[in-house]
Amino acid sequence: MTVLQQVLKDGSEYGVKSELFSTVPKQKAVIEFSSPNIAKKFHIGHLRSTIVGLLGVGFQLFGNKEKLKTSPLQHLFEVYVQINKAAEDENTKKLAKDFFRKLEEHDEQTLSLWKQFRDFSIDEYIRIYKRLGVHFDEYSGESFYQEKSKEVLKMLENKGLLQKTIKGTGIVDLSEKKDLSSFSTVMRSDGTSLYITRDLAAAIDRMNKHNCDTMIYVTDKSQSNHFQHLFQILKLMGYDWVERCQHVSFGLVQGMKTRRGEVIFLEDVLNEVRSRMLQNMASTKTTKEIEDPMETAEKVGLAALIIQDFRGLLSSDYQFSWDRAFQSRGDTGVFLQYTHARLHSLEQMHGNEQLTDINVACLQEPDAISVLQHLLRYDEVLYRSSQDLQPKHIVSYLLTLSHLAAMAHKTLPVKDSAPELAQARLCLFQAARSVLANGMKLLGITPVTQM
């Protein structure tokens, strides 16, 4: 069976059906990512408990129920900015502490207010993530594990792993020689839980609930220490499955500014991406016939964003550049979308018929052979990405595929060629478009058919 027949027969399964994957067991993975704690927006260096307290106090002073409903993230941010001016004031500090304590003690009024913050925020996250094509099966924040973390502390105590310091905090010794050269604090002196305690509870709970083969945490790299500690404690507690847990860390994006200034909200970025793309499209002459320019601009713009983000190692920091991300020629998401759209319209022009008995032998030109050889390598690339969980292998594969296909499109006409040759070339371009589309979807990009 030739590679072209294989591509067209396997469709979206092409590459995954390869021999390479025959040894890879089908696994159930729980992936936790993008935990936008309501405080992340306010990253102004306060402790989480302080932020929660300040938000509560701030809302009681400056909050507006209507605004909380319509744009929760924006409104909570405004409230936070206002209360933050008084953050050093002793009275505010005390109120903030009280608010957090009441939360931990399950005071009804305090809980119901926090629940509103959370529910409205989650609704907004769902809406924003939908634009990114991302959906979550479960929303359980770490506050969800407040109660269960008390059980974790008991377990640590029973296993003799919990030590008390002079200050009254609870720690777990992680050092080889048991000399406390490395330790992790799991309890405050007042007995309340910390971030890591709630993460321990969450990990144990998820493993019990989903009984999965692997758990992958995707967060920024500043947390790698946290996850090292988390995994070490789980190991000490005797959970062997921790060997199958992984932390995939990503770097920082620098210099991302919109026309309105520094970026704080993801939604600002998405809107900016769309409006810039619309402008670019308006300045090219083919755009007039597009059915839904807004939607196309969103898909192409997102491709630009995703490819710029995934081109290097996930853990590398990089300097964001709008101009670079939106070049239509060059190694960008715009170029991938453009190539896909061109190949699609080539198929449309030639009647989209099912190509059956193709004579591949007529594809002799170097440009055709380059594309064929590249299509053969797709499974290796998928395999690499599945092993090291880095999307960059797929990105560079797709960029090369697009360059090779664009080249072939220039030099190998379908129109005015002998029928047999035209059929074979059409089949080549169809296979290239199919693999390009599959790879793009894997990266979270929706291929467009016109732009």
Side-chain angles (χ1 to χ4, degrees), residues 124-357:
E124 188 164 2
Y125 281 128
I126 290 175
R127 187 177 60 73
I128 295 170
Y129 278 120
K130 199 170 168 179
R131 284 178 69 177
L132 287 167
V134 173
H135 88 280
F136 295 101
D137 300 293
E138 191 179 298
Y139 287 84
S140 53
E142 37 114 19
S143 45
F144 181 77
Y145 291 103
Q146 208 77 43
E147 284 305 293
K148 290 205 163 77
S149 49
K150 290 182 182 141
E151 294 166 32
V152 168
L153 290 172
K154 272 207 191 75
M155 282 159 74
L156 286 168
E157 202 165 6
N158 296 343
K159 290 184 194 284
L161 295 167
L162 188 67
Q163 301 184 23
K164 286 272 174 58
T165 63
I166 305 165
K167 290 183 190 152
T169 55
I171 60 170
V172 176
D173 188 355
L174 301 173
S175 60
E176 287 286 315
K177 298 184 179 143
K178 297 293 163 227
D179 57 2
L180 290 180
S181 54
S182 157
F183 66 88
S184 177
T185 307
V186 292
M187 186 182 81
R188 291 198 186 88
S189 52
D190 60 3
T192 53
S193 61
L194 281 112
Y195 217 13
I196 192 152
T197 334
R198 295 188 283 266
D199 264 349
L200 286 165
I204 296 166
D205 183 61
R206 282 185 194 145
M207 218 17 155
N208 289 340
K209 189 163 140 195
H210 298 291
N211 188 17
C212 51
D213 302 295
T214 169
M215 277 205 288
I216 299 166
Y217 294 85
V218 185
T219 72
D220 71 288
K221 62 183 176 189
S222 68
Q223 299 191 39
S224 35
N225 229 358
H226 170 83
F227 285 101
Q228 261 174 333
H229 284 183
L230 180 70
F231 299 158
Q232 280 175 297
I233 296 173
L234 287 167
K235 200 174 169 151
L236 287 171
M237 291 174 83
Y239 293 111
D240 295 336
W241 46 256
V242 72
E243 301 294 331
R244 307 197 303 272
C245 293
Q246 259 174 300
H247 176 220
V248 174
S249 60
F250 54 84
L252 300 173
V253 183
Q254 284 137 351
M256 195 182 232
K257 287 189 171 68
T258 64
R259 297 192 176 102
R260 287 170 42 195
E262 278 296 329
V263 166
I264 302 174
F265 298 102
L266 176 59
E267 191 157 26
D268 295 337
V269 178
L270 297 183
N271 292 340
E272 179 92 2
V273 160
R274 190 169 57 192
S275 73
R276 279 178 188 253
M277 204 56 230
L278 271 171
Q279 253 182 335
N280 286 9
M281 282 162 48
S283 63
T284 55
K285 41 199 174 307
T286 50
T287 308
K288 296 181 194 60
E289 308 88 67
I290 289 184
E291 281 133 46
D292 190 346
M294 271 298 250
E295 184 148 329
T296 303
E298 176 116 325
K299 287 174 182 160
V300 178
L302 269 179
L305 212 56
I306 290 172
I307 294 300
Q308 169 129 313
D309 202 53
F310 284 176
R311 273 188 65 186
L313 267 177
L314 287 181
S315 56
S316 310
D317 301 340
Y318 69 93
Q319 199 64 37
F320 182 82
S321 147
W322 288 106
D323 295 335
R324 200 177 59 227
F326 282 94
Q327 281 167 1
S328 54
R329 296 275 182 274
D331 290 341
T332 65
V334 181
F335 176 59
L336 292 185
Q337 289 284 29
Y338 178 70
T339 307
H340 183 271
R342 271 178 78 191
L343 292 174
H344 183 267
S345 69
L346 180 72
E347 277 172 47
Q348 293 290 329
M349 248 163 48
H350 296 280
N352 246 348
E353 66 256 33
Q354 259 334 98
L355 306 167
T356 38
D357 35 340

Side-chain angles (χ1 to χ4, degrees), residues 314-446:
L314 287 181
S315 56
S316 310
D317 301 340
Y318 69 93
Q319 199 64 37
F320 182 82
S321 147
W322 288 106
D323 295 335
R324 200 177 59 227
F326 282 94
Q327 281 167 1
S328 54
R329 296 275 182 274
D331 290 341
T332 65
V334 181
F335 176 59
L336 292 185
Q337 289 284 29
Y338 178 70
T339 307
H340 183 271
R342 271 178 78 191
L343 292 174
H344 183 267
S345 69
L346 180 72
E347 277 172 47
Q348 293 290 329
M349 248 163 48
H350 296 280
N352 246 348
E353 66 256 33
Q354 259 334 98
L355 306 167
T356 38
D357 35 340
I358 300 301
N359 180 9
V360 190
C362 30
L363 297 170
Q364 292 297 326
E365 299 82 0
D367 286 344
I369 289 168
S370 299
V371 174
L372 287 171
Q373 286 173 331
H374 196 61
L375 290 175
L376 275 172
R377 289 191 38 240
Y378 186 56
D379 60 347
E380 295 164 37
V381 173
L382 290 187
Y383 184 74
R384 276 184 74 183
S385 280
S386 75
Q387 295 307 295
D388 67 4
L389 302 182
Q390 294 288 338
K392 68 177 185 139
H393 314 302
I394 297 172
V395 171
S396 68
Y397 176 88
L398 295 178
L399 289 167
T400 305
L401 177 61
S402 295
H403 286 297
L404 294 174
M407 197 60 192
H409 187 256
K410 253 210 225 63
T411 59
L412 310 175
V414 173
K415 212 171 129 199
D416 305 330
S417 302
E420 193 182 38
L421 186 56
Q423 284 279 36
R425 285 177 179 173
L426 200 51
C427 188
L428 176 74
F429 290 125
Q430 216 175 346
R433 186 191 67 80
S434 171
V435 172
L436 178 58
N438 293 343
M440 286 162 83
K441 288 177 193 156
L442 275 181
L443 298 172
I445 297 170
T446 309

Side-chain angles (χ1 to χ4, degrees), residues 27-174:
Q27 288 194 320
K28 180 176 180 184
V30 167
I31 300 169
E32 173 177 329
F33 71 117
S34 136
S35 331
N37 59 30
I38 304 187
K40 257 299 186 332
K41 281 274 181 291
F42 320 131
H43 53 184
I44 314 177
H46 283 306
L47 275 174
R48 186 179 169 281
S49 57
T50 320
I51 291 172
V52 170
L54 284 174
L55 267 182
V57 178
F59 194 80
Q60 286 158 345
L61 292 171
F62 314 111
N64 172 324
K65 284 260 152 83
E66 268 316 294
K67 280 187 180 167
L68 182 65
K69 258 203 188 90
T70 50
S71 50
L73 302 177
Q74 187 71 38
H75 184 54
L76 288 175
F77 185 70
E78 286 159 6
V79 164
Y80 188 78
V81 169
Q82 275 180 288
I83 189 74
N84 202 40
K85 294 175 187 148
E88 291 313 306
D89 172 69
E90 285 310 314
N91 190 32
T92 312
K93 273 189 190 165
K94 186 185 160 311
L95 289 170
K97 259 210 175 82
D98 290 344
F99 186 87
F100 192 72
R101 200 196 64 250
K102 282 183 190 162
L103 257 190
E104 294 244 301
E105 291 167 0
H106 294 286
D107 170 69
E108 240 166 70
Q109 236 179 327
T110 316
L111 264 181
S112 103
L113 182 62
W114 186 251
K115 198 174 157 349
Q116 281 183 346
F117 289 177
R118 185 180 176 272
D119 293 348
F120 288 135
S121 298
I122 284 181
D123 288 342
E124 188 164 2
Y125 281 128
I126 290 175
R127 187 177 60 73
I128 295 170
Y129 278 120
K130 199 170 168 179
R131 284 178 69 177
L132 287 167
V134 173
H135 88 280
F136 295 101
D137 300 293
E138 191 179 298
Y139 287 84
S140 53
E142 37 114 19
S143 45
F144 181 77
Y145 291 103
Q146 208 77 43
E147 284 305 293
K148 290 205 163 77
S149 49
K150 290 182 182 141
E151 294 166 32
V152 168
L153 290 172
K154 272 207 191 75
M155 282 159 74
L156 286 168
E157 202 165 6
N158 296 343
K159 290 184 194 284
L161 295 167
L162 188 67
Q163 301 184 23
K164 286 272 174 58
T165 63
I166 305 165
K167 290 183 190 152
T169 55
I171 60 170
V172 176
D173 188 355
L174 301 173

